Structure formats: C-alpha cells, structure tokens
Amino acid sequence: MTSDNSSDEFYAKLRKRLKKTSDWPSEYLYKFIVPSSDQANLDKLISIFDNLGAVISTKQSSKGKYTSVSINVTLKSPDIVIEKYKQVGEEIENVISL
C-alpha cells in the first residue's frame, strides 16, 4: 500500500481528533468487515491485535458472506491507533475499516 496525500490527511485529522477527545492511554474500538470465505485474512487480522490484550468479537452477516470484527483494546497513544490501521491495510486484502 502506498501512502498518498488523502490518506496522510485522513490520518492527521484522526490523530488530532483522538488527542482532543481522549486521555491516553485509552480504550479504542476498531471495526472491520472481511469476507467470511477468507479465513486466512480473518486469522491474520486477529493476530495483529492478539498480543495487546484486545477483546475481539466476530459476527457473521445474515447471509454468511461477511464477518464483522470488533476489537476493543487499550492503547497508549493515537499514533498506535493509526499504526494498527495502517498495518491492517498493508497486510490484509479485502478488509473494510469502519
């Protein structure tokens, strides 16, 4: 994944908003959607947050095509929040970040 100006702007705004609205360390809730047929990517997504003490829950869509993943984790700074979003985007195909 290459970095472009729009994503840099997005992450800069997110960092500013997170610093303004939360005291760090703070809990952060990530939400992702992955195709249910792609178990390898689902496993990879979970492994990115596995050693952080995250509470991870998954739920399949009504027709079973997609799996939503909610990850609640306490992180030290907004920079780590953004780092994890970037890591997911770089390492996992066909994932939607909400």
Side-chain angles (χ1 to χ4, degrees), residues 32-76:
F32 300 100
I33 297 174
V34 295
S36 296
S37 61
D38 198 347
Q39 186 64 42
N41 277 345
L42 181 60
D43 292 343
K44 195 182 298 185
L45 175 63
I46 290 170
S47 73
I48 288 173
F49 295 92
D50 199 26
N51 294 326
L52 299 174
V55 177
I56 301 171
S57 60
T58 60
K59 182 179 177 185
Q60 276 198 344
S61 64
S62 60
K63 294 184 180 180
K65 288 179 120 180
Y66 298 97
T67 300
S68 67
V69 182
S70 297
I71 301 168
N72 197 348
V73 61
T74 300
L75 298 172
K76 293 182 181 181

